[in-house]
Amino acid sequence: MSAARPPAPPAKTSGLRRHRALMARLAAGPAPEAVILGDSLAAGWPEPDLTAATGLPTLNLGLPGDRVQITRWRLTAMAAFAVRPRLALLMVGTNSFADGDGPETIVAGLAALVAALRAVWTPPVIVLATVPWRESLPQRSEADRLALNAAIGDLVRIETLALLDCDAALGPDPATGLEADRLHLNARGYAALSAALGSLLRTG
């Protein structure tokens, strides 16, 4: 099994600035009852929609450009804040996938992220999102993405997490839930994911 990439800070200065701004929000309080961590797909999810879906005041700690190893690094930095969210949603992996990381590497990183999250903030409920459909990359195929999501599903079962299946939520024509770049989610996409998240938490 491939090893996870080691935690690493954001590569761009702008990412570090945004990370520090999120740290300042966390420090200012109040302590969130739910959090979302991850990349631009997480960062773009409107907090009011998240709060409505989770039923809890939700703080968005997503950061555009995050890879799994960057989210791990940022969580370590935020561990100084002794928050105790009742729910944590993890939505990260699409950039690692685009970088060419294999399912084993990405899932090993996600497993380490889950372990760290449980150690520092102990949320009783952790939801892990699959990687949504995106326009094909030259070096990756749709079969590669589906293999990654299958591995994420295996991790959810092993770790007793909740799975947010983005493909099921976005439906048979996922492009309608994406912006023109065929990567980032639009309002329709976030509405679909919010409905799926709310249903998952009510029935889970």
Side-chain angles (χ1 to χ4, degrees):
M1 181 176 183
S2 298
R5 290 185 180 271
K12 297 181 179 179
T13 302
S14 58
L16 285 169
R17 283 199 303 268
R18 294 187 69 164
H19 166 68
R20 287 194 288 268
L22 291 172
M23 292 271 285
R25 280 196 70 192
L26 198 55
E33 294 188 48
V35 296
I36 180 172
L37 289 159
D39 51 39
S40 58
L41 300 181
W45 202 327
E47 284 185 352
D49 292 1
L50 284 164
T51 294
T54 64
L56 301 166
T58 303
L59 178 62
N60 192 324
L61 297 171
L63 185 71
D66 262 17
R67 277 68 177 162
V68 176
Q69 64 269 23
I70 297 175
T71 304
R72 289 177 61 199
W73 182 90
R74 294 199 303 113
L75 178 60
T76 299
M78 292 185 285
F81 303 106
V83 299
R84 291 292 179 266
R86 293 160 58 187
L87 180 145
L89 170 59
L90 302 176
M91 190 173 193
V92 61
T94 193
N95 292 319
S96 298
F97 175 75
D99 288 345
D101 287 355
E104 297 87 356
T105 298
I106 295 172
V107 170
L110 290 172
L113 178 59
V114 168
L117 185 58
R118 284 174 165 159
V120 300
W121 286 347
T122 63
V125 178
I126 298 176
V127 180
L128 184 56
T130 59
V131 172
W133 180 88
R134 57 181 294 166
E135 190 166 54
S136 296
L137 298 160
Q139 72 277 24
R140 307 312 301 262
S141 69
E142 175 65 355
D144 292 331
R145 188 187 69 88
L146 294 175
L148 170 57
N149 282 343
I152 290 173
D154 290 340
L155 176 65
V156 164
R157 287 186 287 274
I158 292 168
E159 295 290 342
T160 320
L161 311 173
L163 180 70
L164 178 60
D165 185 337
C166 294
D167 287 344
L170 294 172
D173 187 6
T176 62
L178 301 182
E179 299 284 3
D181 63 5
R182 314 269 281 187
L183 167 62
H184 294 95
L185 293 154
N186 59 24
R188 179 175 181 173
Y190 282 119
L193 290 188
S194 294
L197 177 61
S199 178
L200 172 67
L201 295 174
R202 285 192 301 272
T203 60

